[in-house]
Amino acid sequence: MINDLKFGIRTLTRGRWSTVITILSLALGIGVNTALITAYKAFFARPLDARNANEMVNVALTRNSGEMDYLFSHSDFETYRDSVNAAGLAAFRVARVQLSNAGAMISQRAAFEQSTLGKLGVMALADTASNAEFAQVLVVSDNYFSVLGVSALQGRTFEGASTGATGPPAALISENFWQRRFQGDPAIVGRIVNLNGVAVTIIGITPRDFVGTFISAPAFWLPLGIEPLINGDTQWLLNRANRPYRLFGRLALGASVAQARTQIGQVADRLWTLDASKGDSNSTATRPAAAMVWPGSPFPYPPGMLPGLNLAIGLILFGGGMLLAIACANVGSLQLARVRSREMELRTRFSLGASRGRITRQLLTESALMGLAAGLLALLFSWALLKAGVRAFADAMPVEFGSLVFDVNPNIEIFGYILLISLIAGILSGVSPAMHSPRSALTSVGRASTASVRGRRLQGALVAVQVALSLVLLITGSMFVRGAINSLSIETGYAAEQVVQLGFQFPKDPKYTEDRRIALVNELRFRLAALPGVTGVTSARSPGSAFRTGAIPVEHAAGSDRSLLFYTYVQPGYFETLGIPLVHGGGFEGDAGAGQFAVLSESAGRRMFGNENPLGRRIRLGFIDERLHLSGEVAANGPIWQIAGIARDTRGWTFDRSDTEQIYLPLPGASVDDRPLLIRAQPNALSIIRSVEQAASSVDPAIVVTTSTLEDALRRAGPFMSSSLGAAVASGIGMLGLLLAVIGILGTISHVVALRTREVGIRMAIGAQRQDVLRLVLREIARPVVTGLIAGMLLAVGLVFVLRGMFYGIRPVDGIYFVMMSLLFLIVALLAAYPPARRAMKVDPVVALRSE
């Protein structure tokens, strides 16, 4: 084996350029797969940032309704913490607070404009644009850091802080935010800043890149006891219906996950029984059916609970695997052409006594060497690119989002994966040449032409394989791109470009009573309506911000199946402001809360009443599960509503357009203070954003306002951002596949031309013209390419049909499109084959006849 390795290295160094191209092609396929696996482990499979992270677990419940419930109230947390036998149980939630008294203010708008995303004009990723400075915080239980087993970098954590102090509440700052926002001010410990107007004292600094139970390092860490202050709600911790916290625990010594699950289930059942006896819960659907305890993860769902996400991840990894298969076929065809040029050497080795197995082992050793070299190169490049990408992405995000942390450094698992996949890829790419070449070398001189034909056929088969797989990736990737473009270009059904969404946050001050907040909102509406260019103002959440409910016509018999529809509360003028036409009946007239009237969308009317006229009919709405609603949300539960009108369907935020089935209910006047204002302007929304913010400041400078257009809100929706990301990844893999195929075709034809130099010289000596030689070479590559294109189209049809639900607004199997993509691929392949064919046209017959 040592002799094989030494000879293999000498052989590879003789053909430097061929070896470099082969290693680069294989490294590209291995590198993409390594990057995908590393990114998956760094994001989706990451453990909690804790000491002995394997001892940490997530805690959640499943309800009889089938819904997973991973959020708990503060009272529930205390009960679980005191009842479960564990080394520790901690709670946390993520929040965004207004930062002040921190030196020169960096407003949210300024933060985006200063960030890379803002400079590139990618403002659609911004949640909102505001004139205040915000910071991301993690509100945690006092035992949070001790449960995770993490100490402060400087200062102390909450457990070390005095609870009886009369000064400002304690807070910790992350080292990332300390460096980025305060430039590493050495006097930061002991400094007082204001969060939502509440003065807090910074008592410590957490280690750099410490994320705890989240995926990014927040600006600050706050204790649970501060919640009533920063939220302006004295009942925040006492209200059992307020359920914002996630729970994590550390298993006790010797305890198993099954034991912890049993204890959590017993406590959950006891709590539900207690709530039911008090009348707080009257639905068996909310009863805990089972406790869920799984290995600690920053994500609220265990693996396998999100089939759509798992499918997307699986498709990306499958695409990476196909790219590696293309690279292996590419290298296989290059190796076959290279080994064919060594047939004289192999015949000599056979004549000296080498066995067929010995020759095969030597060739496989050379292939494995190239695989290992490619693996090393892939490891270095994938790690460097991921590291640079993570750093660039983190720096590009505005400071308010915290510091995203992804550990992409290779560990022992990644090293093992690289070693394994490099050896497999190297050996697979060398199997065909290694199996064919000894047989070809054993062939007598009289049958050499037959062996040569057999070798060309095998080489053509390898070219066809990489062409087929490349075409599948190219078609699939382009379909994702078309779907992403369509998802953002299909008519919404409302004036998305002409409407500004204005949100507001009132100071957490007792003087801002409910009556005062409502009065300020009404005054703000009056001033906005008077602005030049404003044609309508209403209070409502943006389209798509709706909740699910069960709806049933009153006339139906009890027990009839309910229609699961979306509903939202809106004010009079909503349909006119958003430009949604009423096709039948009318909207809400007068006081928004005066009558029990509702408006259905066309699709909701068809869903509930078929072809019957729904006007004047009555419906009753009820909860599916009250935990699916926000805390304090006005819920449509119980009252009977009469259908007053039918509105044109608006585009839903879900790809299946299920939320076009909408019920619009009149918003009570007492709820306008927690709904954004929607302002329609001419000619577009951007023309009045500054004026809107100035009007809000003139009403009360203490109000924090946030603005965005409905078009930006649509682009920020999860399904569309996921579609865009999927399109980028799929198209990137497809283009890499095309690049590998082009490299393979170019290298293969170059070797074929070199091997057939004598034949070309003979043909030209007996009268062949240059165009004849060109046709000969192009025909050599056209046959396997066309075969691969036909096979690729058939595979693409099957794959696209399986994935048809992921392509938004396009026909899955489009014959004309598939043929056009295949013709484009054929043209690219022929262009790649033209340079070596042109060299063959210039061969001197005399030189060619002496080539051997």
Side-chain angles (χ1 to χ4, degrees):
M1 182 58 68
I2 293 176
N3 289 333
D4 287 346
L5 291 173
K6 290 180 179 179
F7 183 76
I9 293 174
R10 291 200 303 271
T11 302
L12 295 178
T13 55
R14 281 201 297 267
R16 293 184 180 87
W17 286 111
S18 176
T19 300
V20 168
I21 293 175
T22 302
I23 290 178
L24 288 177
S25 298
L26 203 55
L28 182 59
I30 296 175
V32 169
N33 278 268
T34 303
L36 292 177
I37 292 295
T38 304
Y40 172 78
K41 288 179 62 64
F43 189 77
F44 294 103
R46 63 191 297 171
L48 296 179
D49 193 358
R51 174 179 53 84
N52 297 332
N54 59 311
E55 298 176 0
M56 299 295 298
V57 292
N58 292 44
V59 176
L61 303 172
T62 53
R63 303 285 175 177
N64 281 343
S65 62
E67 295 292 332
M68 180 178 172
D69 189 2
Y70 58 86
L71 297 176
F72 299 85
S73 68
H74 179 259
S75 299
D76 289 345
F77 158 64
E78 290 183 324
T79 303
Y80 284 109
R81 181 194 60 193
D82 299 336
S83 304
V84 176
N85 180 25
L89 193 69
F92 96 104
R93 79 177 181 97
V94 184
R96 190 184 70 163
V97 297
Q98 183 182 353
L99 174 63
S100 57
N101 190 30
M105 184 185 76
I106 303 176
S107 69
Q108 188 186 44
R109 184 183 298 280
F112 274 103
E113 291 174 350
Q114 295 170 9
S115 68
T116 304
L117 294 180
K119 292 176 182 178
L120 294 175
V122 190
M123 291 298 292
L125 292 178
D127 180 36
T128 45
S130 173
N131 58 349
E133 180 175 5
F134 292 96
Q136 185 185 75
V137 301
L138 259 64
V139 186
V140 302
S141 55
D142 289 348
N143 65 341
Y144 181 86
F145 292 95
S146 63
V147 170
L148 293 180
V150 177
S151 302
L153 181 66
Q154 294 184 32
R156 61 192 190 278
T157 61
F158 298 130
E159 281 194 326
S162 174
T163 57
T166 57
L172 273 75
I173 189 172
S174 70
E175 200 270 351
N176 303 68
F177 192 73
W178 172 47
Q179 294 289 348
R180 190 173 181 184
R181 176 63 176 82
F182 295 95
Q183 291 76 48
D185 180 7
I188 192 67
V189 176
R191 181 169 177 173
I192 295 177
V193 297
N194 290 351
L195 303 178
N196 278 1
V198 178
V200 299
T201 301
I202 299 175
I203 64 170
I205 305 173
T206 58
R208 183 167 186 80
D209 291 342
F210 172 67
V211 297
T213 52
F214 199 49
I215 61 173
S216 65
F220 298 97
W221 309 78
L222 303 177
L224 281 180
I226 202 176
E227 289 276 39
L229 296 177
I230 65 172
N231 292 291
D233 182 0
T234 58
Q235 299 300 309
W236 179 275
L237 298 178
L238 304 176
N239 185 2
R240 293 287 299 276
N242 185 26
R243 307 165 55 83
Y245 302 109
R246 292 173 56 193
L247 303 187
F248 297 85
R250 183 180 291 277
L251 294 175
L253 183 63
S256 66
V257 171
Q259 292 172 333
R261 188 181 299 119
T262 300
Q263 292 185 18
I264 293 291
Q266 292 171 349
V267 177
D269 198 62
R270 188 170 74 245
L271 285 174
W272 184 88
T273 303
L274 179 63
D275 290 341
S277 65
K278 295 179 179 180
D280 295 334
S281 178
N282 55 9
S283 172
T284 57
T286 64
R287 189 183 186 98
M292 301 184 65
V293 179
W294 68 97
S297 165
F299 299 101
Y301 294 95
M305 285 290 290
L306 296 174
L309 177 62
N310 293 331
L311 175 61
I313 294 173
L315 287 175
I316 292 175
L317 295 179
F318 178 70
M322 289 185 66
L323 187 67
L324 182 58
I326 294 171
C328 290
N330 183 345
V331 173
S333 63
L334 293 175
Q335 284 289 87
L336 185 61
R338 182 175 181 173
V339 172
R340 283 172 57 195
S341 66
R342 297 171 57 187
E343 287 186 358
M344 185 63 71
E345 171 204 334
L346 298 181
R347 290 194 187 101
T348 304
R349 292 165 67 89
F350 274 122
S351 66
L352 294 175
S355 66
R356 181 173 178 180
R358 182 68 180 79
I359 298 297
T360 301
R361 191 182 75 185
Q362 174 63 48
L363 295 177
L364 288 178
T365 300
E366 295 176 12
S367 298
L369 278 173
M370 284 195 293
L372 291 176
L376 178 61
L377 188 63
L379 174 63
L380 295 176
F381 274 98
S382 63
W383 173 73
L385 289 176
L386 283 174
K387 198 76 173 177
V390 168
R391 184 181 298 276
F393 184 72
D395 293 342
M397 299 298 290
V399 66
E400 105 175 65
F401 288 125
S403 300
L404 293 173
V405 177
F406 301 107
D407 183 10
V408 294
N409 294 315
N411 54 22
I412 188 64
E413 294 179 349
I414 296 298
F415 280 121
Y417 175 80
I418 283 280
L419 178 62
L420 180 63
I421 197 174
S422 299
L423 285 174
I424 292 176
I427 292 174
L428 283 178
S429 62
V431 164
S432 295
M435 297 301 292
H436 169 78
S437 296
R439 181 190 307 170
S440 177
L442 285 170
T443 305
S444 64
V445 177
R447 296 182 57 195
S449 60
T450 303
S452 179
V453 170
R454 186 186 300 114
R456 290 202 298 270
R457 288 176 178 173
L458 178 58
Q459 195 169 41
L462 292 173
V463 171
V465 168
Q466 58 183 305
V467 168
L469 296 181
S470 300
L471 182 63
V472 171
L473 289 180
L474 193 62
I475 289 179
T476 307
S478 64
M479 294 287 281
F480 274 107
V481 172
R482 291 176 62 198
I485 294 174
N486 283 346
S487 70
L488 295 174
S489 61
I490 293 178
E491 180 61 37
T492 61
Y494 57 89
E497 297 180 356
Q498 296 179 324
V499 179
V500 174
Q501 178 179 261
L502 174 66
F504 33 81
Q505 178 179 320
F506 294 100
K508 306 298 182 181
D509 192 312
K511 69 180 181 180
Y512 284 89
T513 62
E514 181 180 348
D515 291 340
R516 182 177 181 184
R517 295 198 301 268
I518 294 175
L520 289 173
V521 172
N522 290 332
E523 182 180 354
L524 180 57
R525 289 189 59 176
F526 177 78
R527 296 198 183 187
L528 292 174
L531 290 176
V534 173
T535 60
V537 181
T538 189
S539 292
R541 290 195 173 96
S542 61
S545 303
F547 300 96
R548 296 297 294 270
T549 185
I552 185 171
V554 174
E555 295 83 354
H556 281 200
S560 297
D561 291 338
R562 295 180 299 174
S563 298
L564 301 182
L565 307 176
F566 285 82
Y567 77 93
T568 185
Y569 283 92
V570 301
Q571 271 200 333
Y574 174 84
F575 301 103
E576 293 80 4
T577 301
L578 268 68
I580 303 173
L582 293 169
V583 294
H584 297 292
F588 309 125
E589 302 294 338
D591 185 5
Q596 298 293 334
F597 294 100
V599 174
L600 296 181
S601 66
E602 289 180 299
S603 56
R606 288 192 299 269
R607 174 77 177 275
M608 295 193 66
F609 301 101
N611 295 325
E612 299 179 13
N613 183 7
L615 294 182
R617 301 287 292 272
R618 298 184 302 166
I619 60 173
R620 184 189 298 276
L621 307 182
F623 281 145
I624 302 173
D625 186 345
E626 63 184 48
R627 288 174 172 77
L628 300 180
H629 293 70
L630 297 178
S631 177
E633 178 68 28
V634 180
N637 184 29
I640 296 176
W641 304 85
Q642 184 174 349
I643 308 303
I646 301 296
R648 183 71 52 81
D649 281 346
T650 58
R651 178 200 183 159
W653 285 17
T654 56
F655 278 178
D656 61 1
R657 298 184 68 99
S658 61
D659 53 352
T660 59
E661 299 173 345
Q662 191 85 226
I663 303 174
Y664 302 95
L665 305 176
L667 177 68
S671 299
V672 296
D673 61 323
D674 64 353
R675 295 293 194 286
L677 290 174
L678 303 180
I679 308 107
R680 184 168 183 174
Q682 295 290 349
N684 57 60
L686 295 176
S687 62
I688 64 162
I689 283 183
R690 298 290 185 182
S691 300
V692 166
E693 293 176 349
Q694 292 172 0
S697 297
S698 68
V699 171
D700 189 336
I703 299 177
V704 177
V705 297
T706 56
T707 56
S708 67
T709 66
L710 293 189
E711 184 179 30
D712 281 348
L714 179 65
R715 294 177 183 273
R716 293 194 306 269
F720 301 110
M721 293 191 69
S722 300
S723 175
S724 300
L725 178 61
V729 173
S731 59
I733 292 177
M735 293 305 295
L736 288 176
L738 177 61
L739 174 62
L740 280 176
V742 169
I743 293 174
I745 291 171
L746 180 60
T748 301
I749 289 298
S750 297
H751 277 288
V752 168
V753 169
L755 292 174
R756 300 182 69 176
T757 300
R758 183 178 178 85
E759 175 190 346
V760 170
I762 293 174
R763 288 176 179 271
M764 297 185 70
I766 61 177
Q769 301 298 314
R770 290 189 173 186
Q771 56 267 28
D772 299 322
V773 175
L774 178 63
R775 283 196 296 268
L776 173 70
V777 176
L778 293 183
R779 189 165 57 246
E780 178 84 20
I781 196 62
R783 283 195 296 267
V785 168
V786 171
T787 302
L789 291 178
I790 295 174
M793 277 198 292
L794 294 177
L795 290 174
V797 168
L799 182 60
V800 169
F801 182 77
V802 171
L803 303 178
R804 60 189 181 279
M806 304 183 68
F807 304 127
Y808 192 82
I810 59 177
R811 188 171 56 183
V813 180
D814 189 337
I816 297 178
Y817 179 74
F818 281 24
V819 171
M820 290 178 59
M821 293 297 293
S822 300
L823 289 176
L824 175 62
F825 201 111
L826 179 61
I827 293 173
V828 172
L830 294 179
L831 288 176
Y834 181 74
R838 182 177 174 82
R839 288 197 299 271
M841 294 164 55
K842 298 180 179 180
V843 170
D844 185 346
V846 176
V847 176
L849 292 174
R850 294 176 178 175
S851 63
E852 297 183 3

